[in-house]
Amino acid sequence: MPRAPFRIRWLVFAMLFAFAFTGYVQRTSVAIAAERMMPELGLTQVQVGWLFTAFLLFYSIFQIPGALIGQQWGARRMLTAIGLATVLASLLTAGAPLIAAGVVFVALLAARAVLGAAQAALFPVASGTIRFWFPVASGTIRFWFPVGRWAAGMGLLVTGIWLGAATTSPLVAWLMHQYGWQWALVYSSLPSLLLVMLWFLLSRDRPQQHTMVSPIELAEVRGNPSFDPGRAMTVPRVMRILGDPQILRITVSYFVMNYVFYLVTFWSFLYLVQDRGLSVLESGWLAGLPFVVAGVAAAVGGRLADGLRSRFGARRGLRIVPLVALPCAALFLYLTVTLGDAYWAIAALCLGFACIELTEGSYWGATMHLAPSDTMAATAVLNTGGNLGGVVATPIIAALSTGQSWTVVFATGAVTSIVAAALWFTIDAGRNEGQP
């Protein structure tokens, strides 16, 4: 029996996975380097918080414009430009003390803003690429991202993101210990250059444009809906999505939930150093553990969401994971700051973040079910809302943690988790399936 040919879509997906991985290394590396940047550059913890905020603000603002540009340029050119711009932003961050010695904080803000604007279109463009490359099999579940596996697909993508975040803490902490924070940022961004070259050489916007795609693979995607520019994401379509009460409710819940998301992403390393008294290297390794656990949880949560939706319908099934996991996250966040032993506290932090990430598939899957004909626009609105949650939360966390009030920081996270869960009682993801 002849062996089936290799599917080029797996190569394209692997490179998209790598873009997500390296992108998260670049965006979170400053959170680790901040431990050395503050004393060397005379920065306060509040100023470091504003560096995180600058990234998130521009990341949020440029999500939809970046996706629209990517739609015109195509994924091949757009992701090449994104990759080069992120490397430039990392180099500008490392070189800020030399480039603008008198106004180093302003230079750092500008570099972080460039990184946020550059990375904003990464996931909308990647989503569009996946849509072209992964077919929806009619009546069967044969390939990735059929309707019945939307939540699982997003959960797996988030898993790749958290592998990058998990790598950042030990990698940057070790590089910083060996070479200083500036070279740590430079060395950790260099793999992106290789990825950009591979992407430009090996990828194409559509399977039909790639000379290595076999006739069998083309036949597998021939039944996909043809690309209709009128169905693409445009500003008017986004505005219609913004007027949808259900999309707004799930976006508000995601906005509130992301307080915890960015608390762990940007601040767990400094929490372990400042409040728990761990060393830089030990904190680097241990701060990566929540991301490893979160990556597994995101994949599991996506599968759970799909299974529960299949059994109980979208309305009830997609609510179950958030309604259980988010209150559990609140409990574990409380235990993080009340347990006396540092290692038990880290375990509680891991479990709390895992509960948060269990819900990713439900949020993204429910949004896609709410707007099945406008998934790109709807998920762009969802992700913009989530990142705006980080914009609001980050300066609050910075101000509270400056006075070593980490208990208040985590208590606030527990409250936001409960609020995010309560909002799910108002969300009906099954309205398009005729559920009561």
mmCIF file of all heavy atoms in Angstrom, residues 146-155 299-313 317-318 321 361-362 365 369:
data_model
loop_
_atom_site.group_PDB
_atom_site.id
_atom_site.type_symbol
_atom_site.label_atom_id
_atom_site.label_comp_id
_atom_site.label_asym_id
_atom_site.label_seq_id
_atom_site.Cartn_x
_atom_site.Cartn_y
_atom_site.Cartn_z
ATOM 1 N N PRO A 146 -12.083 21.593 12.301
ATOM 2 C CA PRO A 146 -13.478 21.532 11.854
ATOM 3 C C PRO A 146 -14.352 22.213 12.892
ATOM 4 O O PRO A 146 -13.900 22.536 13.991
ATOM 5 C CB PRO A 146 -13.747 20.035 11.773
ATOM 6 C CG PRO A 146 -12.832 19.448 12.772
ATOM 7 C CD PRO A 146 -11.594 20.318 12.780
ATOM 8 N N VAL A 147 -15.616 22.434 12.557
ATOM 9 C CA VAL A 147 -16.504 23.167 13.458
ATOM 10 C C VAL A 147 -16.531 22.550 14.847
ATOM 11 O O VAL A 147 -16.484 23.251 15.855
ATOM 12 C CB VAL A 147 -17.939 23.226 12.875
ATOM 13 C CG1 VAL A 147 -18.906 23.814 13.890
ATOM 14 C CG2 VAL A 147 -17.949 24.042 11.596
ATOM 15 N N GLY A 148 -16.562 21.222 14.928
ATOM 16 C CA GLY A 148 -16.637 20.559 16.217
ATOM 17 C C GLY A 148 -15.337 20.544 16.988
ATOM 18 O O GLY A 148 -15.290 19.969 18.078
ATOM 19 N N ARG A 149 -14.276 21.125 16.435
ATOM 20 C CA ARG A 149 -12.990 21.143 17.115
ATOM 21 C C ARG A 149 -12.395 22.551 17.171
ATOM 22 O O ARG A 149 -11.192 22.711 17.341
ATOM 23 C CB ARG A 149 -11.999 20.181 16.428
ATOM 24 C CG ARG A 149 -12.344 18.714 16.639
ATOM 25 C CD ARG A 149 -12.181 18.320 18.103
ATOM 26 N NE ARG A 149 -12.498 16.913 18.343
ATOM 27 C CZ ARG A 149 -13.681 16.459 18.679
ATOM 28 N NH1 ARG A 149 -14.703 17.301 18.802
ATOM 29 N NH2 ARG A 149 -13.888 15.176 18.895
ATOM 30 N N TRP A 150 -13.247 23.559 17.042
ATOM 31 C CA TRP A 150 -12.730 24.923 17.113
ATOM 32 C C TRP A 150 -12.070 25.203 18.458
ATOM 33 O O TRP A 150 -10.981 25.755 18.534
ATOM 34 C CB TRP A 150 -13.868 25.920 16.889
ATOM 35 C CG TRP A 150 -14.202 26.107 15.444
ATOM 36 C CD1 TRP A 150 -13.444 25.752 14.376
ATOM 37 C CD2 TRP A 150 -15.382 26.712 14.915
ATOM 38 N NE1 TRP A 150 -14.074 26.078 13.207
ATOM 39 C CE2 TRP A 150 -15.274 26.677 13.511
ATOM 40 C CE3 TRP A 150 -16.523 27.267 15.492
ATOM 41 C CZ2 TRP A 150 -16.254 27.198 12.673
ATOM 42 C CZ3 TRP A 150 -17.505 27.773 14.659
ATOM 43 C CH2 TRP A 150 -17.379 27.741 13.268
ATOM 44 N N ALA A 151 -12.738 24.851 19.534
ATOM 45 C CA ALA A 151 -12.193 25.122 20.864
ATOM 46 C C ALA A 151 -10.903 24.350 21.090
ATOM 47 O O ALA A 151 -9.932 24.880 21.639
ATOM 48 C CB ALA A 151 -13.215 24.768 21.935
ATOM 49 N N ALA A 152 -10.845 23.088 20.652
ATOM 50 C CA ALA A 152 -9.642 22.295 20.831
ATOM 51 C C ALA A 152 -8.475 22.885 20.027
ATOM 52 O O ALA A 152 -7.332 22.908 20.492
ATOM 53 C CB ALA A 152 -9.902 20.850 20.397
ATOM 54 N N GLY A 153 -8.770 23.362 18.812
ATOM 55 C CA GLY A 153 -7.717 23.968 17.990
ATOM 56 C C GLY A 153 -7.128 25.200 18.644
ATOM 57 O O GLY A 153 -5.905 25.378 18.700
ATOM 58 N N MET A 154 -7.989 26.064 19.179
ATOM 59 C CA MET A 154 -7.490 27.255 19.851
ATOM 60 C C MET A 154 -6.738 26.891 21.123
ATOM 61 O O MET A 154 -5.736 27.507 21.473
ATOM 62 C CB MET A 154 -8.643 28.206 20.176
ATOM 63 C CG MET A 154 -9.203 28.927 18.968
ATOM 64 S SD MET A 154 -7.957 29.781 17.969
ATOM 65 C CE MET A 154 -7.166 30.825 19.189
ATOM 66 N N GLY A 155 -7.223 25.856 21.823
ATOM 67 C CA GLY A 155 -6.520 25.416 23.024
ATOM 68 C C GLY A 155 -5.118 24.946 22.713
ATOM 69 O O GLY A 155 -4.168 25.250 23.449
ATOM 70 N N ALA A 299 -4.835 23.043 26.383
ATOM 71 C CA ALA A 299 -5.190 21.959 25.466
ATOM 72 C C ALA A 299 -6.314 21.105 26.037
ATOM 73 O O ALA A 299 -7.269 20.754 25.339
ATOM 74 C CB ALA A 299 -3.958 21.104 25.174
ATOM 75 N N VAL A 300 -6.220 20.778 27.329
ATOM 76 C CA VAL A 300 -7.257 19.967 27.972
ATOM 77 C C VAL A 300 -8.582 20.721 28.008
ATOM 78 O O VAL A 300 -9.649 20.151 27.736
ATOM 79 C CB VAL A 300 -6.821 19.585 29.402
ATOM 80 C CG1 VAL A 300 -7.974 18.923 30.156
ATOM 81 C CG2 VAL A 300 -5.618 18.645 29.350
ATOM 82 N N GLY A 301 -8.521 22.014 28.337
ATOM 83 C CA GLY A 301 -9.738 22.813 28.400
ATOM 84 C C GLY A 301 -10.446 22.905 27.072
ATOM 85 O O GLY A 301 -11.689 22.889 27.016
ATOM 86 N N GLY A 302 -9.679 22.998 25.989
ATOM 87 C CA GLY A 302 -10.291 23.033 24.669
ATOM 88 C C GLY A 302 -11.030 21.749 24.342
ATOM 89 O O GLY A 302 -12.157 21.767 23.829
ATOM 90 N N ARG A 303 -10.391 20.612 24.655
ATOM 91 C CA ARG A 303 -11.054 19.331 24.420
ATOM 92 C C ARG A 303 -12.292 19.180 25.298
ATOM 93 O O ARG A 303 -13.325 18.672 24.858
ATOM 94 C CB ARG A 303 -10.070 18.179 24.688
ATOM 95 C CG ARG A 303 -8.898 18.115 23.726
ATOM 96 C CD ARG A 303 -9.360 17.820 22.312
ATOM 97 N NE ARG A 303 -10.006 16.531 22.219
ATOM 98 C CZ ARG A 303 -9.372 15.390 21.967
ATOM 99 N NH1 ARG A 303 -8.065 15.386 21.793
ATOM 100 N NH2 ARG A 303 -10.047 14.260 21.872
ATOM 101 N N LEU A 304 -12.183 19.612 26.558
ATOM 102 C CA LEU A 304 -13.341 19.556 27.452
ATOM 103 C C LEU A 304 -14.497 20.393 26.912
ATOM 104 O O LEU A 304 -15.662 19.960 26.923
ATOM 105 C CB LEU A 304 -12.953 20.056 28.840
ATOM 106 C CG LEU A 304 -12.265 19.072 29.785
ATOM 107 C CD1 LEU A 304 -11.835 19.793 31.060
ATOM 108 C CD2 LEU A 304 -13.180 17.906 30.116
ATOM 109 N N ALA A 305 -14.167 21.603 26.454
ATOM 110 C CA ALA A 305 -15.212 22.494 25.945
ATOM 111 C C ALA A 305 -15.932 21.872 24.756
ATOM 112 O O ALA A 305 -17.170 21.928 24.658
ATOM 113 C CB ALA A 305 -14.602 23.843 25.568
ATOM 114 N N ASP A 306 -15.156 21.267 23.841
ATOM 115 C CA ASP A 306 -15.780 20.628 22.681
ATOM 116 C C ASP A 306 -16.643 19.442 23.096
ATOM 117 O O ASP A 306 -17.741 19.244 22.583
ATOM 118 C CB ASP A 306 -14.704 20.173 21.694
ATOM 119 C CG ASP A 306 -14.210 21.306 20.816
ATOM 120 O OD1 ASP A 306 -14.989 22.232 20.545
ATOM 121 O OD2 ASP A 306 -13.032 21.267 20.409
ATOM 122 N N GLY A 307 -16.129 18.623 24.031
ATOM 123 C CA GLY A 307 -16.897 17.468 24.473
ATOM 124 C C GLY A 307 -18.182 17.859 25.171
ATOM 125 O O GLY A 307 -19.244 17.262 24.933
ATOM 126 N N LEU A 308 -18.110 18.859 26.031
ATOM 127 C CA LEU A 308 -19.304 19.312 26.751
ATOM 128 C C LEU A 308 -20.296 19.989 25.811
ATOM 129 O O LEU A 308 -21.515 19.861 25.975
ATOM 130 C CB LEU A 308 -18.888 20.271 27.870
ATOM 131 C CG LEU A 308 -18.113 19.623 29.028
ATOM 132 C CD1 LEU A 308 -17.508 20.688 29.929
ATOM 133 C CD2 LEU A 308 -19.027 18.690 29.816
ATOM 134 N N ARG A 309 -19.777 20.724 24.806
ATOM 135 C CA ARG A 309 -20.677 21.329 23.819
ATOM 136 C C ARG A 309 -21.413 20.259 23.031
ATOM 137 O O ARG A 309 -22.619 20.366 22.765
ATOM 138 C CB ARG A 309 -19.866 22.217 22.869
ATOM 139 C CG ARG A 309 -20.737 22.964 21.843
ATOM 140 C CD ARG A 309 -19.941 23.309 20.595
ATOM 141 N NE ARG A 309 -19.455 22.106 19.930
ATOM 142 C CZ ARG A 309 -20.192 21.377 19.102
ATOM 143 N NH1 ARG A 309 -21.457 21.697 18.851
ATOM 144 N NH2 ARG A 309 -19.684 20.298 18.544
ATOM 145 N N SER A 310 -20.679 19.195 22.679
ATOM 146 C CA SER A 310 -21.300 18.113 21.916
ATOM 147 C C SER A 310 -22.378 17.406 22.736
ATOM 148 O O SER A 310 -23.422 17.024 22.197
ATOM 149 C CB SER A 310 -20.222 17.111 21.487
ATOM 150 O OG SER A 310 -20.790 16.022 20.802
ATOM 151 N N ARG A 311 -22.151 17.279 24.042
ATOM 152 C CA ARG A 311 -23.094 16.532 24.877
ATOM 153 C C ARG A 311 -24.278 17.375 25.330
ATOM 154 O O ARG A 311 -25.419 16.905 25.338
ATOM 155 C CB ARG A 311 -22.362 15.985 26.100
ATOM 156 C CG ARG A 311 -23.261 15.144 27.004
ATOM 157 C CD ARG A 311 -22.463 14.429 28.066
ATOM 158 N NE ARG A 311 -23.330 13.608 28.899
ATOM 159 C CZ ARG A 311 -22.895 12.844 29.894
ATOM 160 N NH1 ARG A 311 -21.598 12.805 30.171
ATOM 161 N NH2 ARG A 311 -23.745 12.129 30.602
ATOM 162 N N PHE A 312 -24.017 18.621 25.713
ATOM 163 C CA PHE A 312 -25.067 19.449 26.318
ATOM 164 C C PHE A 312 -25.514 20.620 25.440
ATOM 165 O O PHE A 312 -26.404 21.370 25.836
ATOM 166 C CB PHE A 312 -24.587 20.007 27.661
ATOM 167 C CG PHE A 312 -24.249 18.953 28.672
ATOM 168 C CD1 PHE A 312 -22.933 18.703 29.007
ATOM 169 C CD2 PHE A 312 -25.251 18.198 29.259
ATOM 170 C CE1 PHE A 312 -22.611 17.723 29.941
ATOM 171 C CE2 PHE A 312 -24.940 17.220 30.190
ATOM 172 C CZ PHE A 312 -23.610 16.978 30.530
ATOM 173 N N GLY A 313 -24.898 20.775 24.266
ATOM 174 C CA GLY A 313 -25.211 21.910 23.419
ATOM 175 C C GLY A 313 -24.325 23.100 23.761
ATOM 176 O O GLY A 313 -23.740 23.181 24.852
ATOM 177 N N GLY A 317 -23.136 23.694 27.462
ATOM 178 C CA GLY A 317 -21.849 23.003 27.447
ATOM 179 C C GLY A 317 -20.652 23.923 27.516
ATOM 180 O O GLY A 317 -19.678 23.649 28.227
ATOM 181 N N LEU A 318 -20.694 25.052 26.797
ATOM 182 C CA LEU A 318 -19.561 25.957 26.789
ATOM 183 C C LEU A 318 -19.482 26.817 28.042
ATOM 184 O O LEU A 318 -18.477 27.502 28.263
ATOM 185 C CB LEU A 318 -19.602 26.843 25.536
ATOM 186 C CG LEU A 318 -19.281 26.113 24.229
ATOM 187 C CD1 LEU A 318 -19.492 27.030 23.025
ATOM 188 C CD2 LEU A 318 -17.855 25.572 24.238
ATOM 189 N N VAL A 321 -17.071 24.772 31.815
ATOM 190 C CA VAL A 321 -15.662 24.918 32.207
ATOM 191 C C VAL A 321 -15.402 26.265 32.882
ATOM 192 O O VAL A 321 -14.805 26.308 33.974
ATOM 193 C CB VAL A 321 -14.733 24.711 30.995
ATOM 194 C CG1 VAL A 321 -13.292 25.057 31.361
ATOM 195 C CG2 VAL A 321 -14.807 23.269 30.501
ATOM 196 N N GLY A 361 -10.254 27.799 25.611
ATOM 197 C CA GLY A 361 -11.025 27.167 24.542
ATOM 198 C C GLY A 361 -12.490 27.547 24.589
ATOM 199 O O GLY A 361 -13.129 27.728 23.549
ATOM 200 N N SER A 362 -13.045 27.689 25.794
ATOM 201 C CA SER A 362 -14.453 28.082 25.930
ATOM 202 C C SER A 362 -14.678 29.498 25.434
ATOM 203 O O SER A 362 -15.660 29.781 24.732
ATOM 204 C CB SER A 362 -14.894 27.963 27.397
ATOM 205 O OG SER A 362 -14.815 26.636 27.843
ATOM 206 N N GLY A 365 -13.956 29.374 21.537
ATOM 207 C CA GLY A 365 -14.951 28.541 20.875
ATOM 208 C C GLY A 365 -16.335 29.155 20.920
ATOM 209 O O GLY A 365 -17.068 29.146 19.919
ATOM 210 N N HIS A 369 -18.729 30.366 17.789
ATOM 211 C CA HIS A 369 -20.106 29.885 17.616
ATOM 212 C C HIS A 369 -21.100 31.036 17.586
ATOM 213 O O HIS A 369 -22.135 30.942 16.917
ATOM 214 C CB HIS A 369 -20.457 28.908 18.738
ATOM 215 C CG HIS A 369 -19.931 27.530 18.517
ATOM 216 N ND1 HIS A 369 -20.513 26.625 17.655
ATOM 217 C CD2 HIS A 369 -18.850 26.895 19.035
ATOM 218 C CE1 HIS A 369 -19.840 25.506 17.651
ATOM 219 N NE2 HIS A 369 -18.817 25.640 18.488
#
